Amino acid sequence: MHEPRRFPIARFLSLFALTLAPLAAGCSDPSETPPPPAGDPFGPIGDRADLPVNERIKIDNLTSPVDIVRDTDGRPHIFASSFEDAVRVQGYLVAQDRHLQIEFYRRVSEGRLAEILADADPSVIDNDIVFRSLGLHRVAKKQYETLGAEEKTLVDAFADGVSQHFRALRNGEAALPPAAFLVPASAFSDFTGPDALAIARLQSYLLSHSADGELADTISIQTLGKAFPKDAADPLVKARSGILRELYRFAPAEPATTTTGYPMGQGGAKNPAPSPLLPDLGARTERYREALRKVKDLFAPEGFGSNNWAVEAGRSDTGHALLASDPHLTLAAPAIFWPVAMEVTPKDPAAKVKVSGLAFPGIPGIILGHNEHIAWGATVAGYDVTDLYAETFTPDGKSVVFKGNNVPVETIDEVIQIQAGEPYTYKVPVVPHHGAILPEILPDHTVAPIDPAKGAVSVRWTGDEPTNELAAILKLLRSKDVDEAKLALDGFQVGAQNWMIGDTQGNVLWTSHAKLPTRAPAAVAWDAATFSGTLPCFVLPGDGSAEWTGALPDNLVPWAKNPAAGFLATANNDPIGETLDNDPSNGTLPDGTPMFLACSWDIGFREGRIQERLAGLDKATPEDLAKIQGDAKSALGSRLVPAVIEAIDRAEAERKTPGTHPDLTGVVNDAGYDPAAIQKVRELFTAWGAEAGYEAASGIDPDTNKPLPEEGETAIEARAAQATLVFNAWLLRLVERVLGDELEHAGRPFVPRDQKAKAILAITRETPATLPTYNATTGESALWDDMATPEIETKHERIVRALVDALATLATDVGTDIGAYRWGARHRVRFEAILPVLGQLSIPPLGDPVFPDGFPRHGDNFSVDSSDFSLTARLDVTPRYDYDFGPTQRLVVDLDPEGPRAWNALPGGAVWDSQSPHFRDQAELWRKNQTRRVPFLLPEVVAAAESRMVVTRK
């Protein structure tokens, strides 16, 4: 349910930049070497006249020569005789291209930022405290110890490759960029297998650990519940006593599910269990939550989102299965993913591996992509695999009470090295049957001792135990059809994904396998009608009544293959319809036992729109899939504009004939109410739906950054861009006008963006008498009325008032000529450098002569082509519509048995080097929703080759 608040990361990361590496000048391109003397070895490609060798290097521990061909996008294609050689060279290359990115991720995951940053910003000690409490590095060490022989060999080879480049930097055998002369060579210490696994666990954590969200939701719900009690003496407060059911809706706004065939039953009514209350929980966990938000901002500032879908051969124009994948993460420079291809040709032809796709810097292998037989993409599944427990302590604070017994709290000593300071030993308290206790971080960046009288919260996560996702991914890379791929992914335990898979036989399959805990009935003792009881997405009692009882059987973890519709799609939505009745607690398994997967998922608009577009295609083409990835229909505009038009008509009727709608008398007589401007908006909104289908158009020329004229071929887009800007300005003002007074009364607790949107949609569109905040006196939701005024405001008054506000804001921000408005002039994206102190490493760079404020973009909140912005803006603040979160690839694959054909574009480039032609080349495609063929078969790689390197053993 929770989505993290957005916090600027510039200060946090710029400190890392100042300490480690200015990169603006980039790495120098290697000089071309003369033709090799006769007898020099070649890799598996051999000596080819059409693919001359440009460079030769030597590294340790190779068993055979390795070829590397960089294509015209800078993507390395690695040709090796063994998988071990391939991943060793992969480690070396990714260290060349993304060395500081790897180092930063390593330090975050292991809680070692204070070693280098504490002098500049002591708050990074808080980050280290949080990640030492999480213990990703401790789990990584356990994982490493339990790896199978092949996985350990490969992770060690990858780490060795990274270390060899880091060592070359330290020894002066390889050069950092000229501008990085301040970087100490010691910054790049040797990389280890556990380091790689810690970074991998960081990804699993980001994909599935929800403690901060559950904590924030618990705090907000308790705050709102206390502010609006049912027995309040104040009638204004009492009228809003149903606000929790209004603001925290578990059901999606669009009931689109991936499958309807899941064997799920529905249980009856339950007696709610008492939910635990901990004093000062918000204040005691504030620094913990802020430290986590800093890190999550690096990867997904609006919460994770993604799209993927697959079309069976029978619904495909090519006669082959088709796959599309666009994961939504932070749009940064460098891109989060690194493109790479590998072909391993050992002596045994059956052991050949040929795969292409994306890797995460610091982790071996390929996580998204295709081989010769299958293609796959992934979206976050959103299953609840994290629980928080309110612990009751013995008076001495040394034990917790569990099932009537006193269980001693264990401690783990974590020594945090602090730059220019004394080390701090954090004794991490751990409840043996649950997990670490969340730290109460003090202003001096130490952890407060546990106060037994107040209690504390422990956290349990499936990722606390060692698992072997690497083995699952290696099996996936070798899979020859969707069934083998599913079997491979049955070993994927932590960081649940919706894996969408197609094969060259024409099949499509979706699986979301992970270890999903089952829970005791007391953990889901929830009464939806009163919004009371216990749910795993809130803090649970730690007394032993709400424990995990096992794991969901593998065959019941949702999946589907070759559905009747001919396609499958996921977009972080409720996959099986568990929450469609707004009660996540009443699902049952076939044997009648309780089933709980999560409290809520995405709002549902992306999944609904994708399914609508796919269902409308007779025979889908790869181009069709790319167009769907670029779909920018305004989900909220199409649903709310009719209510705006209705309110405008009523306001104009009141203006022309006073007394017709007396609730609007005040607003139409307001000095800011401009009838001509209001009528212009009505015309724009009407045309927006009629001629543009509510497309949230940019209206800006992507090459010149100039407004498109409202004439000729661009007239419709220009008008749609005007409407989109006015609508979103209105929406922000409406959210504040409608919900701001209640939130102010409660002390401004955080409410997630999608929950605000669902509340606005419900009170605007649903039958008023069915609303939790229905006021029989006014005949509509009590939320429409402003608690701060003596008048009773109505739905139509608030809608018109928000429009007057919006037009006034736009007049100040943009100007009074509505015809000059263009959404893309305010809705922009800049891929901020992970080292923001170096503005020239952003894309576009700071001070860019054409795009000084970023690239203009289409789309708005909840569009398929994700470009979400915040729905929080107080009335005295000029709204911002920029965004920094969206598709980190746009992959489409046609699974031709003769060789898969793939198209893709990344938001950036392969090489983190501002002087490289591959620093931002793919960004130019991405921002225009264009892609380029990815070479895969050897003739395609040769045709697209930009350079060739041969790597041999020292």
Side-chain angles (χ1 to χ4, degrees):
M1 176 179 293
H2 175 75
E3 72 185 358
R5 274 180 279 188
R6 304 178 69 164
F7 282 75
I9 64 172
R11 181 168 177 263
F12 182 57
L13 289 179
S14 62
L15 294 170
F16 182 73
L18 288 168
T19 307
L20 281 187
L23 277 178
C27 299
S28 303
D29 291 331
S31 335
E32 290 193 4
T33 58
D40 272 9
F42 293 90
I45 295 177
D47 186 3
R48 299 179 59 116
D50 58 355
L51 198 58
V53 175
N54 305 95
E55 184 179 6
R56 290 177 174 273
I57 65 170
K58 294 180 181 291
I59 67 173
D60 290 324
N61 303 321
L62 286 182
T63 61
S64 299
V66 175
D67 282 308
I68 302 163
V69 180
R70 293 264 188 178
D71 64 25
T72 51
D73 285 323
R75 176 186 298 101
H77 298 255
I78 300 169
F79 297 85
S81 298
S82 72
F83 217 152
E84 182 180 352
D85 283 349
V87 297
R88 179 170 276 108
V89 170
Q90 180 191 15
Y92 190 90
L93 292 175
V94 72
Q96 280 187 325
D97 290 354
R98 306 285 185 88
H99 47 284
L100 289 176
Q101 190 179 20
I102 294 171
E103 182 62 26
F104 184 75
Y105 292 161
R106 171 165 62 167
R107 289 183 179 273
V108 169
S109 65
E110 297 176 356
R112 294 175 47 222
L113 287 172
E115 294 178 13
I116 56 173
L117 294 179
D119 237 14
D121 181 7
S123 75
V124 298
I125 302 171
D126 299 351
N127 289 84
D128 285 359
I129 289 171
V130 167
F131 276 85
R132 297 297 181 95
S133 176
L134 286 169
L136 303 182
H137 60 300
R138 296 192 295 270
V139 177
K141 290 176 182 177
K142 293 178 183 177
Q143 286 181 292
Y144 182 77
E145 293 168 359
T146 58
L147 287 178
E150 183 189 28
E151 299 93 72
K152 183 170 284 189
T153 295
L154 294 181
V155 78
D156 282 344
F158 177 83
D160 178 51
V162 175
S163 291
Q164 290 197 55
H165 184 69
F166 281 7
R167 203 172 302 133
L169 292 172
R170 296 200 305 271
N171 296 339
E173 297 167 5
L176 284 169
F181 60 89
L182 294 176
V183 180
S186 60
F188 302 97
S189 60
D190 278 4
F191 196 77
T192 68
D195 289 338
L197 295 175
I199 293 175
R201 210 48 156 194
L202 174 64
Q203 296 311 301
S204 298
Y205 159 79
L206 292 165
L207 297 171
S208 64
H209 194 287
S210 55
D212 56 329
E214 293 178 8
L215 189 60
D217 284 338
T218 298
I219 293 167
S220 293
I221 286 169
Q222 291 182 357
T223 301
L224 285 164
K226 185 177 180 179
F228 296 99
K230 295 176 183 178
D231 58 355
D234 185 340
L236 288 176
V237 173
K238 187 174 183 178
R240 292 160 172 79
S241 62
I243 192 169
L244 286 176
R245 287 184 291 144
E246 207 77 89
L247 279 179
Y248 282 86
R249 293 168 175 266
F250 300 116
E254 177 71 22
T257 63
T258 300
T259 181
T260 57
Y262 190 82
M264 176 179 60
Q266 191 172 83
K270 302 177 183 178
N271 294 320
S275 57
L277 294 173
L278 287 88
D280 307 322
L281 184 59
R284 289 194 286 147
T285 59
E286 181 179 359
R287 287 184 175 84
Y288 166 85
R289 288 178 286 125
E290 182 170 352
L292 282 182
R293 283 194 295 267
K294 280 183 180 179
V295 174
K296 287 197 170 183
D297 227 17
L298 300 173
F299 301 93
E302 284 288 343
F304 281 93
S306 300
N307 307 319
N308 62 23
W309 61 91
V311 178
E312 290 180 45
R315 289 289 302 271
S316 165
D317 183 70
T318 67
H320 316 133
L322 303 174
L323 179 130
S325 168
D326 56 298
H328 305 160
L329 301 166
T330 292
L331 298 169
I336 280 181
F337 292 112
W338 180 67
V340 63
M342 288 189 248
E343 181 170 331
V344 179
T345 52
K347 293 180 179 178
D348 179 4
K352 177 184 176 182
V353 177
K354 184 172 177 60
V355 62
S356 174
L358 300 180
F360 191 87
I363 304 174
I366 288 176
I367 191 66
L368 301 173
H370 68 91
N371 63 22
E372 293 175 292
H373 312 285
I374 67 167
W376 65 93
T379 69
V380 172
Y383 298 136
D384 188 346
V385 295
T386 311
D387 282 348
L388 298 175
Y389 295 96
E391 302 290 355
T392 300
F393 288 84
T394 55
D396 61 6
K398 294 182 178 179
S399 299
V400 296
V401 181
F402 182 73
K403 294 184 178 181
N405 299 311
N406 296 340
V407 179
V409 175
E410 300 172 351
T411 59
I412 299 172
D413 284 359
E414 287 285 352
V415 180
I416 299 174
Q417 300 295 332
I418 298 174
Q419 183 185 35
E422 292 297 317
Y424 172 59
T425 300
Y426 169 33
K427 293 184 175 295
V428 181
V430 178
V431 177
H433 46 274
H434 288 153
I437 291 172
L438 301 186
E440 180 182 347
I441 303 174
L442 299 174
D444 66 352
H445 312 295
T446 62
V447 178
I450 293 170
D451 183 345
K454 291 184 177 181
V457 175
S458 64
V459 57
R460 186 177 186 183
W461 173 47
T462 55
D464 290 334
E465 298 299 324
T467 52
N468 192 350
E469 282 68 41
L470 180 57
I473 295 302
L474 292 176
K475 290 177 182 177
L476 177 68
L477 299 184
R478 295 172 167 129
S479 296
K480 292 181 171 58
D481 57 41
V482 297
D483 296 315
E484 284 190 15
K486 181 183 182 301
L487 188 62
L489 292 168
D490 281 350
F492 199 91
Q493 299 292 312
V494 178
Q497 298 289 290
N498 289 306
W499 297 96
M500 190 64 64
I501 311 162
D503 66 26
T504 52
Q505 299 172 36
N507 301 300
V508 300
L509 182 145
W510 152 70
T511 183
S512 56
H513 191 274
K515 180 181 179 181
L516 306 183
T518 55
R519 295 161 169 100
V524 286
W526 179 256
D527 184 348
T530 60
F531 204 88
S532 62
T534 55
L535 281 172
C537 55
F538 306 136
V539 177
L540 292 169
D543 58 7
S545 63
E547 298 303 298
W548 292 2
T549 58
L552 193 67
D554 287 351
N555 65 309
L556 291 177
V557 179
W559 69 282
K561 178 183 176 182
N562 293 341
F567 61 82
L568 287 162
T570 78
N572 316 109
N573 53 290
D574 182 339
I576 62 174
E578 183 187 9
T579 62
L580 298 190
D581 65 351
N582 206 39
D583 186 351
S585 73
N586 62 356
T588 60
L589 296 174
D591 63 0
T593 59
M595 181 196 70
F596 172 84
L597 295 179
C599 276
S600 66
W601 279 271
D602 182 78
I603 196 169
F605 294 138
R606 286 181 290 115
E607 176 72 6
R609 181 61 172 164
I610 291 166
Q611 290 189 17
E612 177 188 0
R613 291 285 303 262
L614 290 172
L617 297 172
D618 179 33
K619 296 284 187 178
T621 67
E623 293 76 17
D624 289 329
L625 270 58
K627 288 177 182 177
I628 297 173
Q629 287 178 330
D631 189 289
K633 182 178 181 178
S634 176
L636 296 181
S638 62
R639 289 164 173 82
L640 292 174
V641 157
V644 182
I645 292 174
E646 178 189 8
I648 289 174
D649 290 345
R650 292 172 69 93
E652 282 298 282
E654 171 61 22
R655 183 180 68 83
K656 294 173 182 176
T657 308
T660 304
H661 300 292
D663 60 313
L664 297 174
T665 300
V667 69
V668 299
N669 288 325
D670 189 286
Y673 186 93
D674 181 347
I678 295 290
Q679 187 58 36
K680 173 66 173 176
V681 170
R682 190 195 190 286
E683 293 170 0
L684 273 179
F685 281 3
T686 301
W688 191 25
E691 66 183 16
Y694 294 106
E695 180 186 1
S698 164
I700 297 291
D701 187 310
D703 293 317
T704 66
N705 202 26
K706 301 296 183 183
L708 295 174
E710 192 180 340
E711 58 187 24
E713 294 181 353
T714 61
I716 292 176
E717 180 177 347
R719 286 192 290 271
Q722 296 165 27
T724 305
L725 178 56
V726 175
F727 170 77
N728 282 296
W730 166 82
L731 177 63
L732 287 174
R733 292 311 187 214
L734 182 75
V735 169
E736 183 62 20
R737 282 289 186 186
V738 175
L739 303 178
D741 53 324
E742 285 81 14
L743 296 178
E744 191 69 31
H745 173 77
R748 287 281 171 177
F750 173 69
V751 177
R753 176 175 55 94
D754 61 335
Q755 297 298 343
K756 289 180 180 179
K758 285 194 276 189
I760 292 294
L761 286 164
I763 66 174
T764 303
R765 304 176 77 221
E766 293 183 9
T767 303
T770 65
L771 298 170
T773 54
Y774 175 65
N775 186 327
T777 302
T778 63
E780 56 190 21
S781 170
L783 299 182
W784 290 112
D785 179 37
D786 188 343
M787 296 179 70
T789 68
E791 297 82 15
I792 297 178
E793 288 81 11
T794 65
K795 166 181 154 180
H796 296 111
E797 191 278 340
R798 294 286 85 180
I799 289 174
V800 176
R801 175 67 65 184
L803 183 56
V804 172
D805 291 339
L807 290 173
T809 299
L810 289 170
T812 301
D813 186 33
V814 185
T816 57
D817 181 6
I818 296 176
Y821 292 176
R822 298 293 186 273
W823 175 234
R826 288 295 178 270
H827 186 57
R828 300 159 301 202
V829 64
R830 185 194 306 278
F831 310 149
E832 295 285 358
I834 194 171
L835 308 178
V837 71
L838 301 170
Q840 294 306 303
L841 280 175
S842 294
I843 303 172
L846 297 180
D848 187 88
V850 180
F851 302 102
D853 300 311
F855 297 126
R857 290 289 296 156
H858 67 190
D860 60 5
N861 277 301
F862 314 118
S863 295
V864 172
D865 194 357
S866 177
S867 57
D868 299 344
F869 56 93
S870 174
L871 286 183
T872 299
R874 299 203 185 190
L875 297 178
D876 59 349
V877 174
T878 300
R880 292 187 61 84
Y881 312 98
D882 296 335
Y883 71 101
D884 54 9
F885 170 87
T888 48
Q889 74 164 351
R890 291 200 179 96
L891 174 69
V892 172
V893 184
D894 176 18
L895 283 149
D896 188 338
E898 298 298 317
R901 297 182 301 138
W903 296 259
N904 207 350
L906 303 184
V911 181
W912 195 16
D913 174 351
S914 62
Q915 300 303 304
S916 168
H918 305 302
F919 175 66
R920 60 175 285 179
D921 51 344
Q922 292 190 58
E924 295 305 303
L925 298 169
W926 183 97
R927 69 185 184 85
K928 298 178 183 180
N929 284 82
Q930 299 171 356
T931 57
R932 187 152 47 217
R933 271 289 303 275
V934 178
F936 181 62
L937 301 177
L938 182 57
E940 298 168 347
V941 174
V942 172
E946 186 175 83
S947 65
R948 178 184 177 185
M949 175 192 294
V950 175
V951 186
T952 54
R953 182 170 184 161
K954 281 187 179 179

